[in-house]
Amino acid sequence: MAEVAAFSPLIGPRLQWLCIAGARSDRDRESGKADLPVARKLHHRDCYSQHAIAATNGRLCHRPVRLIDMLSESKHTLGTFEQALEGLRNNVMMMASQTERSLGRALKGLTERDDELCALAIADDEEIDQFEKQIDKDGIDLLLRFQPVASDLRRVVSAMKLSGNLERMADQATNIARKARKLNQHPPLPEVLWITPIQEHAMAMFRDAVDAYAREDAQAARALIPRDDKLDEMNAQVSRRLIDRMAHDPEQLRGYLNLMFIARHLERVGDHATNIAEDAVYAAAAEDIRHQQIAAPA
């Protein structure tokens, strides 16, 4: 500052100011106003309203500014997410319907000794596998596009997990159908009727679990879980009776073993129904109840 003051008689007031504050843009006039020809080149067509230069006096133009309707954009994004989620859940419900049909065909093929129904149940597995892959793909795309949080995130994740359990149920239907075809090659066993109570209990659990998921009913899903213990007990009881039959009629050993495997496959269907119920509770109530003992309702 002292050096500048010493030379102040030798320089003009503008140059003195530039020495103190630094050089101004070479696009300004000495008067301080904008150099209009240069400004027009710099701000071609006034593309930025905050820099638009009026042609009259070099001041900013006051013109309407177009603002984005953030509320409208938010509603549009929310609506698109809801539509995508609804599509994902619809695919899950279609997959559940296909799985129920496959199980029904396999079990009917067992009780009615119908190899054609068993073949249809086995063929269903490929279509259900494709459902699982599509649901996983759609779920991942939905997560990447919308990055949902809280309940929305839980609903997407639970749908993807439910498809995995449905696919494994369809695998159990295929296993039952294959065992049924083996049994159909031999004279009928009256012990097939022992499977009926297990079948009814497992299928009821399956339907109730999917229904609780679809309605987002955490209470109904929670009430279903203790029913798996009853199914386990039924499976153990039938297995003991079949083992006793083996000791008295060894010639039917292979048939009794196939019936034991079928009972075991149905017990696994109940396990997957329990998993679906747990995921339904998580999606609806944000509570992870896996690996917990839940008492049956009084």
Side-chain angles (χ1 to χ4, degrees), residues 28-41:
D28 287 349
R29 293 176 175 176
E30 290 186 2
S31 63
K33 293 186 177 180
D35 191 339
L36 293 182
V38 176
R40 290 192 184 99
K41 293 181 181 180

Side-chain angles (χ1 to χ4, degrees), residues 267-288:
E267 190 271 333
R268 289 295 298 155
V269 169
D271 289 342
H272 292 302
T274 301
N275 293 342
I276 292 173
E278 291 171 346
D279 291 335
V281 172
Y282 175 72
E287 183 180 356
D288 188 351

